[in-house]
Amino acid sequence: MTDATNPAGAAPAPKHPSSLLAADVRTKRRNAAEARFKAYGLAAVGIGLIFLVALLFAIIRNGTPAFTQTFLTIPVELPEAKLDKNGNRDPADLSKVTTFGYAPLIEVAVARALEENGIDSPFEKQKDLRNLVSASAPAQLRDYVLQHPDDIGKTIEFRMLASSRVDGYLKGRVTRDSLARDKNLDAEHLDLVDQLQAAGLIKKQFNWAFIFGADASESRPEQAGIGVAMIGSFFMMLVVLALSLPIGVAASIYLEEFAPKNRWTDLIEVNISNLAAVPSIVFGILGLAVFIQFMHFPQSAPLVGGLVLTLMTLPTIIISTRASLKAVPPSIRDAALGVGASKMQAVFHHVLPLAMPGILTGTIIGLAQALGETAPLLLIGMVGFIASNAPDGIASGFLAPNSAMPAQIYEWAKRADPAYYERAWGGIIILLLFLMTMNIIAIILRRRFERRW
Amino acid sequence: MSASLIFLIVVALAAVGFVLGRGRAMASAGGDIRNLHSLPSYYAFNVALSALVPALILLVVWLIAQPALIENRVQSMIPQDRYADRGELSLIMSDVRRVADGLDLAVERDALTREEASSIRTEFTDVRSRLADIGVALGSDVDRTTLTAAQRYRALNATGNAIRNALVILAALAGLGLSLWKTNHEFRARNSVEKVVMALLIGAASLAILTTVGIVLSLIFNTVEFFKLYPAMDFFFGTTWSPSFGGGSELGILPLFWGTFYISLIALAVAVPIGLFAAVYLSEYASPYVRGFAKPLLEVLAGIPTIVYGLFALLTVGPLLVSVFGEQGGLGWMQGGTAVMTAGLVMGIMLIPFVSSLSDDIINSVPQSMRDGSLGLGATKSETIRQVVLPAALPGIVGAVLLAASRAIGETMIVVLGAGAAARLSLNPFDAMTTVTAKIVSQLTGDADFASPEALVAFALGMTLFVITLALNVFALWIVRTYREQYE
Amino acid sequence: MYDSPNSEAKIGQKAIKISANKVQVYYGDTHAIKDVDVQIEDKTVTAFIGPSGCGKSTFLRCLNRMNDTIDICRVEGEILLDGEDIYDKRVDPVQLRAKVGMVFQKPNPFPKSIYDNIAYGPRIHGLARSKADLDDIVEKSLRRGAIWNEVKDRLHAPGTGLSGGQQQRLCIARAIATEPEVLLMDEPCSALDPIATGQVEELIDELRENFSVVIVTHSMQQAARVSQKTAFFHLGNLVEYGMTGQIFTNPNDPRTESYITGRIG
Amino acid sequence: MYDSPNSEAKIGQKAIKISANKVQVYYGDTHAIKDVDVQIEDKTVTAFIGPSGCGKSTFLRCLNRMNDTIDICRVEGEILLDGEDIYDKRVDPVQLRAKVGMVFQKPNPFPKSIYDNIAYGPRIHGLARSKADLDDIVEKSLRRGAIWNEVKDRLHAPGTGLSGGQQQRLCIARAIATEPEVLLMDEPCSALDPIATGQVEELIDELRENFSVVIVTHSMQQAARVSQKTAFFHLGNLVEYGMTGQIFTNPNDPRTESYITGRIG
Amino acid sequence: AAARDQVQVAGSSTVLPYASIVAEAFGENFDFPTPVVESGGSSAGLKRFCEGVGENTIDIANASRQIREKEIKACADNGVSDIIEVRIGYDGIVFASQLNGPEFTAFEPSDWFKALAAKVVVDGKVVDNPNMTWADVNPDLPAQEIITFIPGTKHGTREVFEEKVLKQGCEDTGAMQGFLDSGMDEDAAEHACMAVRTDGKSVDIDGDYTETLARIDSNANGVGVFGLAFYENNTDKLKVATMGGVAPSTETIASGEYPVSRPLFFYVKKAHIGVIPGLKEFAEFFVSDDMAGPDGPLSEYGLVSDPELAETQAVVADENTMGSSM
Ligand SMILES: Nc1ncnc2c1ncn2[C@@H]1O[C@H](COP(=O)(O)OP(=O)(O)OP(=O)(O)O)[C@@H](O)[C@H]1O
Ligand SMILES: Nc1ncnc2c1ncn2[C@@H]1O[C@H](COP(=O)(O)OP(=O)(O)OP(=O)(O)O)[C@@H](O)[C@H]1O
Ligand SMILES: [Mg+2]
Ligand SMILES: [Mg+2]
């Protein structure tokens, strides 16, 4: 036994080469394996990043046009005879004039603008000019008049949206060829647009309304914005964050640190990982049944959306939190207990901070998932044409009907007008920016908590 | 006083309790915290919690119970002949509530005086227009019963609120007083606070059970309904999935399960190796700088809406695969762009961060001494990682993979756009197939008769999927239990 | 180099601090501690000796219920601290561990600063009235742990960046910072040089004035130097327990003798 | 109780195995090893002694580049193994560590079975041709690590469920299973009882026949018993290096003398 | 709970665009808040509609088909007995292909049956569909591989497609008779007429028309099924084919010349009228000439205006429930 020449000494390869500088065959092989392994790792990260870049490239390329919009700025006359027959500026009377009453004013204004700039209209009927302007223009004008009744009888410089086809033309999406069989707009319209643009009446401008505005109906993509849906998402995420993080962490702590290891806790554990595999739409079914039908929460409310998404996010946070709690070495707990800390103190003072990176990762991923989820919202009424006005307070932010960004994007992607397609991608850009802003704190915190021992 | 004001008052009382509790504890210890059983903050929290918890529980119970009770009382005022069933009654009641709320608002805005609000008559006042003036829209004119009911409602509510306010504040005060009285230097404040915290923890954990119960309950009735209309044997063992509107649908779940399994398998085959290797690279090889950037960037992959992935599958990956594996590529395996492979690959990309980020955190928390032990024996870094670090991190990694698998099972958009909608039992990964989840969504959001098996099958699918994943999870738990390696 | 046992003369009849009766410990199916009866006196240093793996640490961990944290570990029998059963349902292990401190065999500093490592115990037990108080306690503990000089300039550096011996002393300092009534020390000097060992032994001697100390050691000399009573464990049994002098000079059991003279391991 | 140094007579002039020149080690800004020159001979046991925190472990870890794993650690100077600079770019630390094995100060068994703990090294180095071969190696290593008897019935139980001393011996057995040319042992006997210590010392003696062993110890007696050469470190400096007998009986440096006689720490 | 003050609509995503246009205009012109219009499918919409009466249920369900007997019963069981049925117009279903693709400009139902049927009758025997190209089906069509994108089984359009195209074609080609002759009973034969081949020539689309468009975009030989409104918005990418010699347009569909179309409905819960502010006004506004008339924005968008709109307006004005008026 004390003999140094042992069976292992007769191993296949010469065990130790004479020089450290030259690797022996086996070491070469192992080093090659090492290099391969590292290369796989690098490749894996690379693949992930390449896909990310490819996706981001597609998103940005398709989405950036949504951030500019074509506007038409022309003088509009507000004849008292049409808008306020009684002449007393009574709001109730003013609001009796519908948008249908305002539409001709716009047609007239466009025709006059053409005239004043010396552009010949190729159209017989004034009505054909309407298609240059967004269908939202009468409503905008009406809103303006209701707010400024004193301007009735005057002529005001009014900026309105051009119609989506005109906008598409300036962005290169619509061409004369492609209009051949379009019944909304003709090539003659485009000639007008060219001249109006030369006259400086039509301009492409940065589109704040897209970032802050509300959804619009199918027929006026040029008006649609994601802002209100963003507020919806914001309030939902508030609910999700405020509930799922504490509840998730609390549940994990209980299961990992305190729960007696018995069938009951096994049941809970299996249950939680099973909940992760429940399709999100099933959470929608649950939300509809529990929150709306049973608890009588309002429909289409971000609060309910947030609650449903919380239930959906919890398993993600619990699973990741438990995994990182498990990874904290027991000697740390012993050390704390040994100086007379209670189990609760040991967990909250020592284990939890050490598990923080994993918890935050779970939160990041869980929230990303929650932020991008549409299916469960379908059943609680947050998908469709919903967000028409921004909520006017915190309570209505939670309770008033609203949509969410992914639902909005999903809706847009479905809509027929191709102008909605670019808006869907633009919406995705905003969603991603929102996501990154949301994550940045978590990422910074996570970096702070990371340590090896 | 509104409920939120009461809430604030209770919170304020708790805050006062906090201070008093602390003070009293310190006083009983002669100003020296060393004489206390627990830290002063525990005494403070104990008093605060004693003031807060019972009062809040009372408040919540009251808030739930009072409307129900008042509703009952007011309902009895509405003549039987006004409604045919409970639904209509509930509509009348919502009108009553709306009027009552409107009156409240009117009083608040000084549009009506308090007396007016409780005495106006429909005969003399057009309540609807009075309320419309202050922005309360009513669906119809207010009739006499509704108005009196609303006034009664207001009166009851006012009394109820007054009693509630008194009781809640009393409860808070009682809790405060009692716990203050109990506070002395020997009182085990920490233990009692920890008990409350423990109760919270247990409550949080039980939420999972509640959710499960909720899911089962919300699926089970319709599932039973489905099996009344459609034979269970055909559902579980049928190999054809072809719903049709005119009846005569074949709703066999097997092709859907096969599709779910196949697509998830491919997705995991992409995500697990890439994710794991990425995690290993980030935690073991990459510089902190690279890691600090690459990790959050990879996480963006999890945040890209799935519709983007779906379009990516449909427009980019599918055609690419066809050009390689389709007729042009000379292999002829692939008919169209939508295939299990397409969806699986793209889903795999989406799942990379699920595996990579979580595993990275877990790998990072394996103690350095484990690595040292292995490196000291002359192991290469990769050997160390493969044989020491990864096994030690296994439970966490399994968790991450489970999460990814769960997500793969639950994904719809990528499947719909990437794998097609055809339910098929085939071994060829280049065939179009579909998954259980995709079909749940499509049957649920379709145009079929909602009482027909074609629509109800969604619930049965959900339920079956739930049971099967449960079984898989039991299996996974068992695996982890068996192979867990605990370090110190 | 060191002088022979010298302290036993000082001991009269002391009060019993901890009394263990028929203690059995199992790890799963392994029976690690078999039927151990032992009375640990107040204001006394008791040494546990015995070959590696005989159950010293296990028994030590029973005395402040640190075994509770090991899932598969099961304790039977009765252990009384000041006459009260510490395994009683009503006993709060936290309070118990505040009274019965412990230094672990493997140094396990918190991954926090040195200062926080020491200050943690006093903080949670409310031993300091003010920041200055706490600074005081930290300094005093580090001094008593014979490590003050080495760390006084880096109190806010992480405790895990210390050398092995420094970590061990840090853990000792951490344990005494909370002023426990009984201190359990599992090989506190294993990684220490003779000087540091001497200082720790001095500390133990000093602690004995007021408290009870139980120390596990592999060094007979150390046992002889610091302890008044010695217990010899072998294969999970308490073979012999008595006055240190008597155990080392005139053991009753042949196994004790074999061990002390270096024949069994 | 122990006899005095007895082994130095056996040593003639041995080949230099490791030669360190002007080695500096920094942890961030802390200068932990200052200008150390030392020649470690082949087929010799070299002891590193010195007060806790003086840099013994740090220097030891330089010899097989284990310091590479500590981010903030920086090594300067030259260390030659068989005349080749181990910090050369072309040197593969893996190959180096296969030649220069290490036992760490804190026992760190892998969270695997006892068998796998030992078999790990031979497996990665391809030292066993068959399962039987491997079984052989495992048994032999455990025997040499003086732990075979305690674990032979539970080879497939986890290594982390062992007692402190058992873990330490497991780590020793693990290190020798790969048959390194140089074995660095950081306080290998700190948690061992005298008998086990004796067995490990026997092992070291046996290893010396063919290999070079460097051992860090706090026990002067142990250093005297097992080593032929001794290096004394103090505050990061190598104060004195020479034949063990000479260092212990007739040190050149007053600091060495103070340390050995127990005056500085 | 605070009382709900906006109208809540849910249901078919085919009706959604029209409903949203109306809702938007309604919000702009009335003092009531803009109604909420959710999508989710006719089935889910009607299901929620029938969940009961009360504030936490919806007021209007949109549907791309008529409500079924069983659904009415389920509704009644939950207390929703008074339902006003409102037909808003027709949805045309068109067949279109890539603008620059092969000349798919004229189809007959029989072409589609022969191209898509799972089984066809050849020489009196029922065999698997052997046709691989359109030219195999009809020599007038381009000799291109058959590849079609048809609505998945979740879509109501599929039902219309099966009834009005496949079954029609089945009868036209005499295959129906062939099936019956081969020993099938009436039901089985009908089923066989509408069974679609599963060898990949026909691709079910469970998504929406955007998806069909994307698929056609990347497949020059593909022919897809679209809604008229969708097609009209995408004339720059698609060219439409005639069916039975008639080109689809709002006029030909309204007159019934173009064979493939389906009516669109919404259902109003009468019990909610007078309770939910603006409900009746919204319903009336929806079917008003301003909106749903032949020159209204809905028709402009692609809805085929109902020739009997006046009757519908009367139904809404009088709040005629289904039992009473039909
Ligand atoms: N990871 C580290 N980071 C920072 N400083 C360190 C680190 N490791 C050791 N040091 C410091 O370097 C010095 C030398 O430490 P080393 O571990 O070499 O001491 P040692 O001689 O082995 O002591 P001991 O006998 O206590 O093990 C000590 O002051 C120590 O605090
Ligand atoms: N967590 C555990 N799981 C299973 N067995 C254990 C565990 N801890 C210790 N043992 C076993 O119990 C017996 C006693 O261990 P203990 O740690 O008490 O020994 P010890 O006397 O402290 O030895 P040492 O001097 O080596 O530290 C040993 O055989 C050991 O292998
Ligand atoms: Mg021990
Ligand atoms: Mg050391």
Side-chain angles (χ1 to χ4, degrees), chain D residues 28-172:
Chain D
D29 295 335
T30 334
H31 199 165
I33 293 288
K34 296 162 193 158
D35 233 5
V36 168
D37 287 308
V38 83
Q39 320 287 322
I40 290 166
E41 293 168 9
D42 202 8
K43 307 197 180 176
T44 307
V45 177
T46 309
F48 287 179
I49 60 172
S52 168
C54 66
K56 305 177 298 292
S57 302
T58 303
F59 186 68
L60 207 63
R61 291 170 67 105
C62 291
L63 300 183
N64 70 345
R65 294 187 52 179
M66 279 307 296
N67 274 336
D68 292 9
T69 63
I70 302 175
D71 283 342
I72 55 164
C73 182
R74 221 169 67 246
V75 179
E76 286 169 12
E78 184 189 55
I79 300 178
L80 307 177
L81 174 72
D82 292 331
E84 291 167 335
D85 184 357
I86 63 169
Y87 280 90
D88 189 289
K89 285 233 155 35
R90 286 164 303 171
V91 167
D92 180 5
V94 172
Q95 218 171 344
L96 169 70
R97 292 187 197 127
K99 277 189 183 181
V100 185
M102 177 143 196
V103 177
F104 295 85
Q105 186 165 7
K106 266 197 209 178
N108 53 354
F110 300 133
K112 295 175 181 287
S113 73
I114 294 170
Y115 183 96
D116 287 338
N117 260 284
I118 306 292
Y120 178 73
R123 273 201 193 115
I124 57 174
H125 291 297
L127 300 185
R129 266 168 305 190
S130 63
K131 176 82 177 74
D133 237 22
L134 195 61
D135 288 352
D136 245 32
I137 295 180
V138 170
E139 174 170 349
K140 209 177 106 235
S141 308
L142 286 171
R143 275 191 199 285
R144 294 172 88 189
I147 188 182
W148 173 251
N149 284 326
E150 284 156 76
V151 299
K152 62 171 181 276
D153 303 325
R154 49 194 269 206
L155 283 178
H156 296 284
T160 42
L162 292 174
S163 83
Q166 288 167 337
Q167 290 188 7
Q168 201 164 39
R169 283 173 285 156
L170 181 68
C171 292
I172 295 174

Side-chain angles (χ1 to χ4, degrees), chain B residues 3 11 28 46 49 57 62 97 105 124 133 142 170 212 224 317 323 329 344 347 353 356 374 377-378 407 419 457 487:
Chain B
V11 170
S28 81
N46 181 50
L49 285 173
I57 291 179
W62 199 283
R97 271 199 308 274
L105 194 68
F124 312 119
D133 287 344
V142 180
L170 218 61
T212 302
V224 170
V317 178
S323 69
M347 203 187 282
S356 73
S374 169
L377 289 173
R407 188 73 207 271
V457 71
Y487 44 80

Side-chain angles (χ1 to χ4, degrees), chain A residues 89-272:
Chain A
R89 304 288 186 270
D90 178 2
D93 284 346
L94 288 183
S95 66
K96 292 228 170 74
V97 182
T98 64
T99 50
F100 302 104
Y102 280 86
L105 301 187
I106 304 234
E107 287 157 23
V108 169
V110 175
R112 184 161 306 161
L114 290 176
E115 218 169 277
E116 275 169 17
N117 286 282
I119 304 169
D120 289 336
S121 165
F123 300 107
E124 304 276 301
K125 287 186 286 183
Q126 230 173 40
K127 213 174 163 203
D128 284 333
L129 288 175
R130 190 200 285 185
N131 290 341
L132 285 178
V133 181
S134 162
S136 68
Q140 285 175 347
L141 191 61
R142 182 169 178 268
D143 276 352
Y144 178 87
V145 171
L146 292 183
Q147 274 171 24
H148 307 92
D150 298 338
D151 283 350
I152 292 179
K154 297 182 191 151
T155 298
I156 54 162
E157 205 49 24
F158 195 72
R159 190 181 85 147
M160 55 195 113
L161 284 161
S163 74
S164 70
R165 294 285 195 296
V166 172
D167 180 53
Y169 173 63
L170 291 196
K171 287 174 182 164
R173 191 180 64 234
V174 173
T175 61
R176 284 184 165 69
D177 287 348
S178 71
L179 283 183
R181 285 163 321 127
D182 192 305
K183 64 173 193 178
N184 291 316
L185 212 62
D186 299 329
E188 285 91 21
H189 281 112
L190 298 186
D191 298 334
L192 282 185
V193 172
D194 284 340
Q195 294 173 50
L196 282 170
Q197 198 183 11
L201 296 181
I202 279 190
K203 267 207 218 73
K204 225 163 72 175
Q205 285 172 333
F206 190 79
N207 186 12
W208 290 107
F210 175 65
I211 304 177
F212 298 111
D215 190 17
S217 75
E218 302 260 346
S219 58
R220 23 175 123 152
E222 62 279 355
Q223 192 197 353
I226 198 160
V228 178
M230 186 159 37
I231 296 176
S233 276
F234 173 77
F235 280 103
M236 285 203 312
M237 287 302 119
L238 274 189
V239 176
V240 174
L241 190 64
L243 292 179
S244 68
L245 188 58
I247 295 181
V249 171
S252 318
I253 289 178
Y254 175 71
L255 292 176
E256 204 51 48
E257 305 285 339
F258 294 103
K261 299 282 172 277
N262 58 26
R263 284 179 182 244
W264 174 243
T265 48
D266 279 359
L267 180 76
I268 298 186
E269 172 164 1
V270 166
N271 241 307
I272 287 172

Side-chain angles (χ1 to χ4, degrees), chain C residues 163-208:
Chain C
S163 83
Q166 288 167 337
Q167 289 189 8
Q168 200 163 37
R169 282 172 287 156
L170 180 69
C171 291
I172 294 174
R174 184 175 69 188
I176 55 176
T178 56
E179 315 223 342
E181 292 172 27
V182 179
L183 186 61
L184 311 174
M185 303 173 102
D186 202 345
E187 305 197 27
C189 302
S190 65
L192 299 188
D193 58 276
I195 325 284
T197 304
Q199 289 169 320
V200 171
E201 285 174 5
E202 241 168 64
L203 167 72
I204 293 173
D205 226 46
E206 178 195 321
L207 290 173
R208 176 166 68 91

